[in-house]
Amino acid sequence: MNSRERVDAMLSGQAVDHLPNMPITMMFAADQIGAPYLTYATDYRVLASAQIKTAHQFGIDHVSVISDPAVEASDCGATVQYFPNQPPAIDETKALLGDKKVLNNIARLPGSFGPRMTNRLSGLSELRSQTLGSKYIEGWVEGPCAESADLRGINNLMLDFTDDPAFVRYLFEFVLEMELAFALAQLREGAEIIGIGDAAASLVGPRIYDKFVWSLENRLVDGIHAAGGRVRLHICGNTRRILNGMGRLGCDLVDLDYPAPLSEGRTQMGDQQVLLGNIDPVRVLRDGTPHTVYQAIGECHRQAGERYIVGAGCEVPRDTPHNNLLALAQYAQAH
Amino acid sequence: MEDLKQLYDAIVEGNANKAKSLTTDALAAGMDPQDILNKYMIPAMDEVGRLFEINEYFVPELLISARAMKSALAILKPRLTATGAKPIGKVAIGTVKGDLHDIGKNLVAAMLEGGGFEIIDLGVDVTPEKFVNAVREKGANIIALSALLTTTMPSMKTTVEGLKEAGVRRQVKVIIGGAPVTQKYADEIGADGYSDNASSAVALARRLVNEPK
């Protein structure tokens, strides 16, 4: 099996030669080709080159266009600060929707994308043409809660759930339409799986998640599935109280961050859910040794059971020792 | 005098209007502002912190409770100042240079304020010089540093070094936090404490202000 076949088989419920390995690499990948992160995030050729080199060097079975959460917000007109060698960041003090009325002015045509979203689409085309079916190709969109936070300001959004639920619903609908159109465009450019990053959803707790977030995530997942794509869900942070809802979304792959034990994910999501993760990226992957990384990922595998893909809880930190990251591939290849 | 348990409940439930009117009424009825703060408001935010720690409250609930606390405190503050009451500590808090993420910093600031500390919120992308000035010019005795990114964590070290170079390090306790931050890192850079959540940051700060300098 090549990498692509291995991931496809695992997600299809078929036998694999060994476990797939799909950690998220961004800054770490940029460093492998000596590219400043600004060029990685804004030039698809740099991203593709770094992803392919990193995947080959560290036994990773997929390549991804994930770079930073500001891609869609930037194209909506949000104020984004760019740094030479770290991810672009949204300036919340100048949040695009600090004034809610602005939402009426940023309506955009589904299918029309600005420079950063277009760059991501080009990245997928580049990855597809360079990997020639050898690696599984991953697109990426922000989830409804995360993108709404990016546009409105996360502090504002957290209060809006109580103060102005009608606005939250209106904003979420806008975001869903944009993200679904973006996801479908990525599928057309060659993505086989779409990562949905909905980091802010881990902050809201089960009541608000069920009331506001879940149905929008569900429609995004259904829309991607209807177009023939697969879905990887990643919610940064502590998701222990919303695991059941995450499991009911029907995602092909749920990638848990380290605060939520995979054993709880398995209990809440059932035997058939493919789980990924989830060693602590800093305390274990970066600060550990190859031996402790190998041991820790073995414990994750034990908790998750057979329907499992190797990975860290979140992004691989840029200064992770190479042998520590290689320990993930070594574990995957041995099991 | 009406039982101010209602004020406690209003803060825990995040009802800012009720918290304000109850505080106004209590002052009008001649209640000691320090008693209102110490017996009802701070315990209410301690309860919010407890609920947050056991995953009964989440960020939205914590923020609306903090807003209710802040609203009531704004009414109380002039009277506290008039009586010469002092906060239990003065915290200059900010997200370090190069980092624009502020939700974690805001949660910690809200809980510290609810815990009886005066807060000097320096915002995001804060240079070491600004922290130094907060010590020199505003009398901060705790510096609280936040970072979300592994790439901006070195700014925490730079800030601690900046405090040393400016000769004010011994005047303050330095506490740090943020998703990639660890106790190990706190030890490496010579910080006085590390907390992995907003609620325990209050306990940490309370402990540190009672330690000898």
Side-chain angles (χ1 to χ4, degrees), chain B residues 55-78:
Chain B
N55 289 330
E56 288 297 325
Y57 269 21
F58 294 85
V59 172
E61 292 87 359
L62 194 153
L63 287 178
I64 63 166
S65 287
R67 184 173 62 181
M69 170 80 181
K70 211 177 176 81
S71 302
L73 199 56
I75 293 166
L76 213 58
K77 256 187 182 167

Side-chain angles (χ1 to χ4, degrees), chain A:
Chain A
M1 278 182 163
N2 68 17
S3 288
R4 184 182 172 281
E5 292 162 344
R6 183 173 304 114
V7 175
D8 186 59
M10 174 60 81
L11 297 180
S12 302
Q14 295 167 2
V16 289
D17 56 347
H18 61 73
L19 294 175
N21 181 31
M22 295 176 68
I24 296 172
T25 61
M26 295 186 277
M27 285 185 281
F28 182 90
D31 289 348
Q32 300 318 302
I33 62 164
Y37 199 73
L38 178 61
T39 64
Y40 181 93
T42 56
D43 183 339
Y44 68 89
R45 288 158 296 211
V46 174
L47 179 145
S49 172
Q51 278 290 308
I52 290 166
K53 181 175 184 194
T54 304
H56 285 303
Q57 190 173 340
F58 293 94
I60 295 170
D61 289 309
H62 77 304
V63 285
S64 178
V65 287
I66 183 175
S67 63
D68 60 272
V71 172
E72 295 97 312
S74 173
D75 281 1
C76 286
T79 302
V80 175
Q81 280 202 26
Y82 291 89
F83 302 92
N85 200 19
Q86 68 183 54
I90 297 160
D91 187 346
E92 177 156 352
T93 60
K94 299 171 188 159
L96 181 63
L97 300 181
D99 176 356
K100 296 177 201 170
K101 291 195 290 290
V102 175
L103 182 54
N104 293 320
N105 304 331
I106 63 168
R108 41 183 300 291
L109 294 173
S112 70
F113 305 116
R116 295 215 62 208
M117 294 163 88
T118 302
N119 180 66
R120 179 167 287 178
L121 296 174
S122 301
L124 287 161
S125 179
E126 185 80 2
L127 288 170
R128 184 181 56 178
S129 66
Q130 288 200 32
T131 58
L132 297 171
S134 63
K135 296 287 179 187
Y136 211 67
I137 296 180
E138 180 181 82
W140 202 272
V141 297
E142 289 284 287
C145 195
E147 184 60 25
S148 296
D150 292 341
L151 296 173
R152 170 70 173 140
I154 193 165
N155 296 278
N156 291 331
L157 181 68
M158 293 295 129
L159 295 172
D160 288 338
F161 287 117
T162 303
D163 295 345
D164 196 350
F167 172 75
V168 173
R169 293 187 194 286
Y170 182 46
L171 173 58
F172 275 27
E173 288 292 338
F174 166 80
V175 167
L176 175 66
E177 184 180 11
M178 174 174 70
E179 299 297 356
L180 183 55
F182 191 29
L184 300 189
Q186 293 184 51
L187 293 174
R188 288 192 292 273
E189 292 298 327
E192 295 164 284
I193 190 167
I194 301 292
I196 298 175
D198 211 8
S202 68
L203 302 181
V204 301
R207 185 181 63 82
I208 288 174
Y209 181 76
D210 290 343
K211 187 173 176 184
F212 290 94
V213 183
W214 186 88
S215 64
L216 277 290
E217 286 181 347
N218 191 43
R219 286 162 60 195
L220 184 54
V221 172
D222 285 352
I224 294 167
H225 281 161
R230 284 182 163 137
V231 176
R232 169 184 189 163
L233 178 68
H234 177 69
I235 298 179
C236 300
N238 188 344
T239 54
R240 294 176 82 166
R241 293 292 303 274
I242 59 171
L243 287 172
N244 183 266
M246 291 165 67
R248 286 186 284 109
L249 289 169
C251 297
D252 303 273
L253 174 57
V254 176
D255 168 0
L256 291 181
D257 203 348
Y258 74 91
L262 286 171
S263 57
E264 291 183 19
R266 178 58 69 216
T267 302
Q268 293 291 324
M269 299 183 196
D271 291 343
Q272 294 307 304
Q273 178 66 64
V274 180
L275 295 173
L276 182 150
N278 69 345
I279 56 173
D280 184 327
V282 173
R283 292 166 185 82
V284 178
L285 183 57
R286 188 192 68 181
D287 295 345
T289 64
H291 176 70
T292 58
V293 169
Y294 195 95
Q295 295 292 113
I297 209 70
E299 174 58 19
C300 291
H301 184 199
R302 190 192 66 74
Q303 291 185 22
E306 289 183 2
R307 303 276 283 154
Y308 174 65
I309 293 179
V310 170
C314 203
E315 181 191 3
V316 174
R318 74 181 334 165
D319 46 354
T320 297
H322 288 192
N323 285 338
N324 287 10
L325 187 56
L326 282 167
L328 294 187
Q330 286 157 3
Y331 184 89
Q333 288 159 16
H335 291 85

Side-chain angles (χ1 to χ4, degrees), chain B residues 82-97:
Chain B
T83 63
K86 299 263 190 249
I88 62 172
K90 201 179 275 192
V91 182
I93 188 167
T95 307
V96 294
K97 176 74 182 158

Side-chain angles (χ1 to χ4, degrees), chain B residues 14 25 27 31 44 49-50 58 104 117-118 124 128 131-132 140 147 170 174-175 179 189-191 196 201 205:
Chain B
D25 292 348
L27 288 172
M31 274 195 76
R50 187 188 71 81
F58 294 85
F117 289 86
E118 181 178 333
V124 298
F131 284 108
V132 168
R170 286 168 184 250
V174 177
I175 62 176
I189 67 169
D196 67 359

Side-chain angles (χ1 to χ4, degrees), chain B residues 154-194:
Chain B
S155 293
M156 292 179 155
K157 183 166 186 249
T158 312
T159 303
V160 173
E161 288 167 353
L163 293 167
K164 281 183 194 162
E165 285 164 17
V168 298
R169 178 67 184 88
R170 286 168 184 250
Q171 293 170 234
V172 291
K173 301 290 186 182
V174 177
I175 62 176
I176 66 173
V181 179
T182 61
Q183 180 64 55
K184 179 169 172 267
Y185 185 69
D187 296 340
E188 281 171 13
I189 67 169
D192 298 295
Y194 154 78

